Amino acid sequence: MTTDGQAHAARTMWNLLHAWWQMMPKEKQTLANADAAIRQARKDIDFLAVLPAQAAQAVLKTYFQAWKNCWDGRADPPNFKSRLRTVMSVDIPQGRDLNTTRVHRRWGQVNIPKVGRVRFRWTKDLPVGKHAGTENRITGARLVKDALGWHIAFPIQTLQHRPEPHQGPDLGIDVGVTVPIALSDGTVYEHGEWLTGKEKARLLHLEQRAARRKAHRKAGERTSGRLHRTYDQIAGLRAKAKRRALDWQHQTTTAIARTYGTVVVEALTITNMVKSAKRTIEEPGKNVARKAGLNRSISAEAWGRTVTMLAYKTAHHGGTLHKVSAPGTSRRCSACGHTTPGSRESQAVFVCKNPDCGWSGNADHNAARNVPHLYRMGHALIPAAGRAVVRRAKRVKPATAR
């Protein structure tokens, strides 16, 4: 049995568990009853038997954790997993059954239950052999498939000391499209295109080929194998670009977390920033194509993912991350503190219109300097305490309704 079969079985197990949860009365929605249900399902349905028992228990644990996150206000309630939109993955919770070994400087081997020995690329040091112990060991594995193939990740249990408070300076960050990350001390982090010229030409050629083949397909006709292969090649190039973007984000956020003790960012509502400008037929929007291009550029920069990385990396190095309100940071003069209309003359230049000031400089640098100023003035945002209680009352009802 291949790993693909186990991934499809894990997704089916999740959907069956979700259907069972919705049908059961509230008093019977317990962990013990759910465990008995999935055990019986693995006996009755041969397709689910390809999934190891430990992986089936991991699905159950993940499903219950999803409901806990919903009740605590951290996420939406769990739902059915679509075959086309769900990332294929398999969780193996018991690390002692993996028998992970290093066979080469660049390669290792791991024993996947009901699959066998699998070779993987050794990219980080793992506690195997004499380096493993009760306080430093592999606790499991997670197999994830994307357009470039299958990948394996190992959760590790290790003993870490609480980091000392970071004594580095304060830092403000302004994110943008032209300049991805601008720091308050004048440092700028930029990146180029994620695909080379040949790769971009190849992607354009594949997209044109897919459009031609799709145009010749009749309504209701199944997608041909050649069109599927073209889609897979397009997805592979896009996955390669995403991997390079992730690598740049990791390197940039790690450098910031190691250097600065207090990092202050803007609390951006990205979902509102990337809304379409089409509006309605009676009242159409303006510059719809330009706004659509801006939305794609904002989404490509993944500002929310950058903030998430900074949050856990600053905590790992003993620093702190704070958020301040975003409105006004681009129009306020960081030298005199006045906000005057028309100060930002262009995307890159800021000129203060205050007659007593007249400071001019880089617009991104000016906005980044305003961010830590708001934090020092006590304008850091604090999450509302009652928000989780309200969301819990709203989210539990659909799961238990009949």
Side-chain angles (χ1 to χ4, degrees), residues 286-303:
K286 299 180 180 179
N287 298 325
V288 177
R290 183 182 301 178
K291 183 62 170 63
L294 177 61
N295 293 345
R296 287 192 295 268
S297 300
I298 292 175
S299 300
E301 293 299 330
W303 295 336

mmCIF file with all atom_site columns, all heavy atoms in Angstrom, residues 286-303:
data_model
loop_
_atom_site.group_PDB
_atom_site.id
_atom_site.type_symbol
_atom_site.label_atom_id
_atom_site.label_alt_id
_atom_site.label_comp_id
_atom_site.label_asym_id
_atom_site.label_entity_id
_atom_site.label_seq_id
_atom_site.pdbx_PDB_ins_code
_atom_site.Cartn_x
_atom_site.Cartn_y
_atom_site.Cartn_z
_atom_site.occupancy
_atom_site.B_iso_or_equiv
_atom_site.pdbx_formal_charge
_atom_site.auth_seq_id
_atom_site.auth_comp_id
_atom_site.auth_asym_id
_atom_site.auth_atom_id
_atom_site.pdbx_PDB_model_num
ATOM 1   N N   . LYS A 1 286 ? -14.078 51.381 -9.483  1.00 0.00 ? 286 LYS A N   1
ATOM 2   C CA  . LYS A 1 286 ? -13.108 52.071 -10.335 1.00 0.00 ? 286 LYS A CA  1
ATOM 3   C C   . LYS A 1 286 ? -11.750 51.382 -10.217 1.00 0.00 ? 286 LYS A C   1
ATOM 4   O O   . LYS A 1 286 ? -11.397 50.865 -9.153  1.00 0.00 ? 286 LYS A O   1
ATOM 5   C CB  . LYS A 1 286 ? -12.976 53.538 -9.924  1.00 0.00 ? 286 LYS A CB  1
ATOM 6   C CG  . LYS A 1 286 ? -14.269 54.338 -10.049 1.00 0.00 ? 286 LYS A CG  1
ATOM 7   C CD  . LYS A 1 286 ? -14.055 55.780 -9.616  1.00 0.00 ? 286 LYS A CD  1
ATOM 8   C CE  . LYS A 1 286 ? -15.345 56.590 -9.750  1.00 0.00 ? 286 LYS A CE  1
ATOM 9   N NZ  . LYS A 1 286 ? -15.162 58.004 -9.312  1.00 0.00 ? 286 LYS A NZ  1
ATOM 10  N N   . ASN A 1 287 ? -11.004 51.399 -11.338 1.00 0.00 ? 287 ASN A N   1
ATOM 11  C CA  . ASN A 1 287 ? -9.659  50.806 -11.366 1.00 0.00 ? 287 ASN A CA  1
ATOM 12  C C   . ASN A 1 287 ? -9.680  49.360 -10.872 1.00 0.00 ? 287 ASN A C   1
ATOM 13  O O   . ASN A 1 287 ? -8.884  48.955 -10.028 1.00 0.00 ? 287 ASN A O   1
ATOM 14  C CB  . ASN A 1 287 ? -8.681  51.632 -10.543 1.00 0.00 ? 287 ASN A CB  1
ATOM 15  C CG  . ASN A 1 287 ? -8.516  53.045 -11.080 1.00 0.00 ? 287 ASN A CG  1
ATOM 16  O OD1 . ASN A 1 287 ? -8.565  53.268 -12.288 1.00 0.00 ? 287 ASN A OD1 1
ATOM 17  N ND2 . ASN A 1 287 ? -8.331  53.992 -10.175 1.00 0.00 ? 287 ASN A ND2 1
ATOM 18  N N   . VAL A 1 288 ? -10.633 48.581 -11.404 1.00 0.00 ? 288 VAL A N   1
ATOM 19  C CA  . VAL A 1 288 ? -10.817 47.206 -10.926 1.00 0.00 ? 288 VAL A CA  1
ATOM 20  C C   . VAL A 1 288 ? -9.592  46.361 -11.254 1.00 0.00 ? 288 VAL A C   1
ATOM 21  O O   . VAL A 1 288 ? -9.098  45.600 -10.409 1.00 0.00 ? 288 VAL A O   1
ATOM 22  C CB  . VAL A 1 288 ? -12.090 46.600 -11.556 1.00 0.00 ? 288 VAL A CB  1
ATOM 23  C CG1 . VAL A 1 288 ? -12.239 45.139 -11.128 1.00 0.00 ? 288 VAL A CG1 1
ATOM 24  C CG2 . VAL A 1 288 ? -13.309 47.396 -11.141 1.00 0.00 ? 288 VAL A CG2 1
ATOM 25  N N   . ALA A 1 289 ? -9.067  46.477 -12.476 1.00 0.00 ? 289 ALA A N   1
ATOM 26  C CA  . ALA A 1 289 ? -7.909  45.666 -12.861 1.00 0.00 ? 289 ALA A CA  1
ATOM 27  C C   . ALA A 1 289 ? -6.683  46.037 -12.039 1.00 0.00 ? 289 ALA A C   1
ATOM 28  O O   . ALA A 1 289 ? -5.911  45.169 -11.616 1.00 0.00 ? 289 ALA A O   1
ATOM 29  C CB  . ALA A 1 289 ? -7.622  45.843 -14.354 1.00 0.00 ? 289 ALA A CB  1
ATOM 30  N N   . ARG A 1 290 ? -6.481  47.336 -11.795 1.00 0.00 ? 290 ARG A N   1
ATOM 31  C CA  . ARG A 1 290 ? -5.327  47.761 -10.990 1.00 0.00 ? 290 ARG A CA  1
ATOM 32  C C   . ARG A 1 290 ? -5.449  47.259 -9.565  1.00 0.00 ? 290 ARG A C   1
ATOM 33  O O   . ARG A 1 290 ? -4.474  46.821 -8.964  1.00 0.00 ? 290 ARG A O   1
ATOM 34  C CB  . ARG A 1 290 ? -5.221  49.281 -11.013 1.00 0.00 ? 290 ARG A CB  1
ATOM 35  C CG  . ARG A 1 290 ? -4.014  49.832 -10.264 1.00 0.00 ? 290 ARG A CG  1
ATOM 36  C CD  . ARG A 1 290 ? -3.988  51.345 -10.287 1.00 0.00 ? 290 ARG A CD  1
ATOM 37  N NE  . ARG A 1 290 ? -3.945  51.859 -11.649 1.00 0.00 ? 290 ARG A NE  1
ATOM 38  C CZ  . ARG A 1 290 ? -3.958  53.154 -11.945 1.00 0.00 ? 290 ARG A CZ  1
ATOM 39  N NH1 . ARG A 1 290 ? -4.051  54.059 -10.979 1.00 0.00 ? 290 ARG A NH1 1
ATOM 40  N NH2 . ARG A 1 290 ? -3.890  53.544 -13.206 1.00 0.00 ? 290 ARG A NH2 1
ATOM 41  N N   . LYS A 1 291 ? -6.669  47.317 -8.996  1.00 0.00 ? 291 LYS A N   1
ATOM 42  C CA  . LYS A 1 291 ? -6.867  46.820 -7.635  1.00 0.00 ? 291 LYS A CA  1
ATOM 43  C C   . LYS A 1 291 ? -6.670  45.314 -7.573  1.00 0.00 ? 291 LYS A C   1
ATOM 44  O O   . LYS A 1 291 ? -6.137  44.781 -6.587  1.00 0.00 ? 291 LYS A O   1
ATOM 45  C CB  . LYS A 1 291 ? -8.282  47.167 -7.162  1.00 0.00 ? 291 LYS A CB  1
ATOM 46  C CG  . LYS A 1 291 ? -8.578  46.749 -5.713  1.00 0.00 ? 291 LYS A CG  1
ATOM 47  C CD  . LYS A 1 291 ? -7.662  47.472 -4.732  1.00 0.00 ? 291 LYS A CD  1
ATOM 48  C CE  . LYS A 1 291 ? -8.105  47.252 -3.296  1.00 0.00 ? 291 LYS A CE  1
ATOM 49  N NZ  . LYS A 1 291 ? -8.037  45.858 -2.867  1.00 0.00 ? 291 LYS A NZ  1
ATOM 50  N N   . ALA A 1 292 ? -7.075  44.590 -8.619  1.00 0.00 ? 292 ALA A N   1
ATOM 51  C CA  . ALA A 1 292 ? -6.868  43.144 -8.638  1.00 0.00 ? 292 ALA A CA  1
ATOM 52  C C   . ALA A 1 292 ? -5.384  42.809 -8.652  1.00 0.00 ? 292 ALA A C   1
ATOM 53  O O   . ALA A 1 292 ? -4.936  41.864 -7.968  1.00 0.00 ? 292 ALA A O   1
ATOM 54  C CB  . ALA A 1 292 ? -7.564  42.532 -9.854  1.00 0.00 ? 292 ALA A CB  1
ATOM 55  N N   . GLY A 1 293 ? -4.596  43.564 -9.416  1.00 0.00 ? 293 GLY A N   1
ATOM 56  C CA  . GLY A 1 293 ? -3.154  43.346 -9.414  1.00 0.00 ? 293 GLY A CA  1
ATOM 57  C C   . GLY A 1 293 ? -2.531  43.648 -8.071  1.00 0.00 ? 293 GLY A C   1
ATOM 58  O O   . GLY A 1 293 ? -1.627  42.936 -7.611  1.00 0.00 ? 293 GLY A O   1
ATOM 59  N N   . LEU A 1 294 ? -3.005  44.710 -7.401  1.00 0.00 ? 294 LEU A N   1
ATOM 60  C CA  . LEU A 1 294 ? -2.503  45.029 -6.063  1.00 0.00 ? 294 LEU A CA  1
ATOM 61  C C   . LEU A 1 294 ? -2.858  43.932 -5.073  1.00 0.00 ? 294 LEU A C   1
ATOM 62  O O   . LEU A 1 294 ? -2.046  43.568 -4.213  1.00 0.00 ? 294 LEU A O   1
ATOM 63  C CB  . LEU A 1 294 ? -3.075  46.370 -5.602  1.00 0.00 ? 294 LEU A CB  1
ATOM 64  C CG  . LEU A 1 294 ? -2.703  46.830 -4.192  1.00 0.00 ? 294 LEU A CG  1
ATOM 65  C CD1 . LEU A 1 294 ? -1.191  47.010 -4.066  1.00 0.00 ? 294 LEU A CD1 1
ATOM 66  C CD2 . LEU A 1 294 ? -3.435  48.108 -3.830  1.00 0.00 ? 294 LEU A CD2 1
ATOM 67  N N   . ASN A 1 295 ? -4.064  43.385 -5.183  1.00 0.00 ? 295 ASN A N   1
ATOM 68  C CA  . ASN A 1 295 ? -4.465  42.297 -4.288  1.00 0.00 ? 295 ASN A CA  1
ATOM 69  C C   . ASN A 1 295 ? -3.570  41.077 -4.455  1.00 0.00 ? 295 ASN A C   1
ATOM 70  O O   . ASN A 1 295 ? -3.189  40.430 -3.470  1.00 0.00 ? 295 ASN A O   1
ATOM 71  C CB  . ASN A 1 295 ? -5.927  41.913 -4.548  1.00 0.00 ? 295 ASN A CB  1
ATOM 72  C CG  . ASN A 1 295 ? -6.888  43.014 -4.146  1.00 0.00 ? 295 ASN A CG  1
ATOM 73  O OD1 . ASN A 1 295 ? -6.516  43.951 -3.430  1.00 0.00 ? 295 ASN A OD1 1
ATOM 74  N ND2 . ASN A 1 295 ? -8.117  42.919 -4.607  1.00 0.00 ? 295 ASN A ND2 1
ATOM 75  N N   . ARG A 1 296 ? -3.225  40.765 -5.708  1.00 0.00 ? 296 ARG A N   1
ATOM 76  C CA  . ARG A 1 296 ? -2.333  39.625 -5.940  1.00 0.00 ? 296 ARG A CA  1
ATOM 77  C C   . ARG A 1 296 ? -0.948  39.886 -5.349  1.00 0.00 ? 296 ARG A C   1
ATOM 78  O O   . ARG A 1 296 ? -0.320  38.981 -4.782  1.00 0.00 ? 296 ARG A O   1
ATOM 79  C CB  . ARG A 1 296 ? -2.230  39.343 -7.435  1.00 0.00 ? 296 ARG A CB  1
ATOM 80  C CG  . ARG A 1 296 ? -3.470  38.703 -8.030  1.00 0.00 ? 296 ARG A CG  1
ATOM 81  C CD  . ARG A 1 296 ? -3.204  38.181 -9.428  1.00 0.00 ? 296 ARG A CD  1
ATOM 82  N NE  . ARG A 1 296 ? -2.905  39.260 -10.351 1.00 0.00 ? 296 ARG A NE  1
ATOM 83  C CZ  . ARG A 1 296 ? -3.804  39.899 -11.095 1.00 0.00 ? 296 ARG A CZ  1
ATOM 84  N NH1 . ARG A 1 296 ? -5.089  39.568 -10.990 1.00 0.00 ? 296 ARG A NH1 1
ATOM 85  N NH2 . ARG A 1 296 ? -3.442  40.859 -11.929 1.00 0.00 ? 296 ARG A NH2 1
ATOM 86  N N   . SER A 1 297 ? -0.457  41.112 -5.462  1.00 0.00 ? 297 SER A N   1
ATOM 87  C CA  . SER A 1 297 ? 0.854   41.439 -4.903  1.00 0.00 ? 297 SER A CA  1
ATOM 88  C C   . SER A 1 297 ? 0.852   41.359 -3.382  1.00 0.00 ? 297 SER A C   1
ATOM 89  O O   . SER A 1 297 ? 1.806   40.863 -2.770  1.00 0.00 ? 297 SER A O   1
ATOM 90  C CB  . SER A 1 297 ? 1.276   42.846 -5.358  1.00 0.00 ? 297 SER A CB  1
ATOM 91  O OG  . SER A 1 297 ? 1.357   42.926 -6.766  1.00 0.00 ? 297 SER A OG  1
ATOM 92  N N   . ILE A 1 298 ? -0.235  41.819 -2.764  1.00 0.00 ? 298 ILE A N   1
ATOM 93  C CA  . ILE A 1 298 ? -0.329  41.751 -1.294  1.00 0.00 ? 298 ILE A CA  1
ATOM 94  C C   . ILE A 1 298 ? -0.379  40.300 -0.837  1.00 0.00 ? 298 ILE A C   1
ATOM 95  O O   . ILE A 1 298 ? 0.297   39.906 0.125   1.00 0.00 ? 298 ILE A O   1
ATOM 96  C CB  . ILE A 1 298 ? -1.568  42.528 -0.816  1.00 0.00 ? 298 ILE A CB  1
ATOM 97  C CG1 . ILE A 1 298 ? -1.384  44.034 -1.070  1.00 0.00 ? 298 ILE A CG1 1
ATOM 98  C CG2 . ILE A 1 298 ? -1.816  42.276 0.673   1.00 0.00 ? 298 ILE A CG2 1
ATOM 99  C CD1 . ILE A 1 298 ? -2.612  44.860 -0.742  1.00 0.00 ? 298 ILE A CD1 1
ATOM 100 N N   . SER A 1 299 ? -1.175  39.489 -1.525  1.00 0.00 ? 299 SER A N   1
ATOM 101 C CA  . SER A 1 299 ? -1.273  38.076 -1.141  1.00 0.00 ? 299 SER A CA  1
ATOM 102 C C   . SER A 1 299 ? 0.045   37.350 -1.351  1.00 0.00 ? 299 SER A C   1
ATOM 103 O O   . SER A 1 299 ? 0.404   36.459 -0.567  1.00 0.00 ? 299 SER A O   1
ATOM 104 C CB  . SER A 1 299 ? -2.382  37.390 -1.949  1.00 0.00 ? 299 SER A CB  1
ATOM 105 O OG  . SER A 1 299 ? -3.639  38.010 -1.721  1.00 0.00 ? 299 SER A OG  1
ATOM 106 N N   . ALA A 1 300 ? 0.794   37.721 -2.391  1.00 0.00 ? 300 ALA A N   1
ATOM 107 C CA  . ALA A 1 300 ? 2.071   37.053 -2.658  1.00 0.00 ? 300 ALA A CA  1
ATOM 108 C C   . ALA A 1 300 ? 3.104   37.345 -1.575  1.00 0.00 ? 300 ALA A C   1
ATOM 109 O O   . ALA A 1 300 ? 3.969   36.498 -1.302  1.00 0.00 ? 300 ALA A O   1
ATOM 110 C CB  . ALA A 1 300 ? 2.609   37.474 -4.020  1.00 0.00 ? 300 ALA A CB  1
ATOM 111 N N   . GLU A 1 301 ? 3.037   38.514 -0.949  1.00 0.00 ? 301 GLU A N   1
ATOM 112 C CA  . GLU A 1 301 ? 4.011   38.842 0.100   1.00 0.00 ? 301 GLU A CA  1
ATOM 113 C C   . GLU A 1 301 ? 3.757   38.097 1.407   1.00 0.00 ? 301 GLU A C   1
ATOM 114 O O   . GLU A 1 301 ? 4.670   37.957 2.223   1.00 0.00 ? 301 GLU A O   1
ATOM 115 C CB  . GLU A 1 301 ? 4.008   40.354 0.362   1.00 0.00 ? 301 GLU A CB  1
ATOM 116 C CG  . GLU A 1 301 ? 4.535   41.180 -0.799  1.00 0.00 ? 301 GLU A CG  1
ATOM 117 C CD  . GLU A 1 301 ? 5.966   40.842 -1.145  1.00 0.00 ? 301 GLU A CD  1
ATOM 118 O OE1 . GLU A 1 301 ? 6.731   40.436 -0.242  1.00 0.00 ? 301 GLU A OE1 1
ATOM 119 O OE2 . GLU A 1 301 ? 6.338   40.964 -2.324  1.00 0.00 ? 301 GLU A OE2 1
ATOM 120 N N   . ALA A 1 302 ? 2.531   37.631 1.636   1.00 0.00 ? 302 ALA A N   1
ATOM 121 C CA  . ALA A 1 302 ? 2.197   36.819 2.824   1.00 0.00 ? 302 ALA A CA  1
ATOM 122 C C   . ALA A 1 302 ? 2.627   37.525 4.105   1.00 0.00 ? 302 ALA A C   1
ATOM 123 O O   . ALA A 1 302 ? 3.424   37.001 4.888   1.00 0.00 ? 302 ALA A O   1
ATOM 124 C CB  . ALA A 1 302 ? 2.839   35.430 2.723   1.00 0.00 ? 302 ALA A CB  1
ATOM 125 N N   . TRP A 1 303 ? 2.077   38.713 4.344   1.00 0.00 ? 303 TRP A N   1
ATOM 126 C CA  . TRP A 1 303 ? 2.441   39.472 5.535   1.00 0.00 ? 303 TRP A CA  1
ATOM 127 C C   . TRP A 1 303 ? 2.036   38.752 6.816   1.00 0.00 ? 303 TRP A C   1
ATOM 128 O O   . TRP A 1 303 ? 2.759   38.778 7.806   1.00 0.00 ? 303 TRP A O   1
ATOM 129 C CB  . TRP A 1 303 ? 1.761   40.847 5.481   1.00 0.00 ? 303 TRP A CB  1
ATOM 130 C CG  . TRP A 1 303 ? 2.242   41.703 4.358   1.00 0.00 ? 303 TRP A CG  1
ATOM 131 C CD1 . TRP A 1 303 ? 3.443   41.619 3.704   1.00 0.00 ? 303 TRP A CD1 1
ATOM 132 C CD2 . TRP A 1 303 ? 1.531   42.770 3.716   1.00 0.00 ? 303 TRP A CD2 1
ATOM 133 N NE1 . TRP A 1 303 ? 3.529   42.568 2.719   1.00 0.00 ? 303 TRP A NE1 1
ATOM 134 C CE2 . TRP A 1 303 ? 2.371   43.292 2.695   1.00 0.00 ? 303 TRP A CE2 1
ATOM 135 C CE3 . TRP A 1 303 ? 0.279   43.352 3.908   1.00 0.00 ? 303 TRP A CE3 1
ATOM 136 C CZ2 . TRP A 1 303 ? 1.989   44.360 1.884   1.00 0.00 ? 303 TRP A CZ2 1
ATOM 137 C CZ3 . TRP A 1 303 ? -0.111  44.404 3.102   1.00 0.00 ? 303 TRP A CZ3 1
ATOM 138 C CH2 . TRP A 1 303 ? 0.737   44.903 2.109   1.00 0.00 ? 303 TRP A CH2 1
#
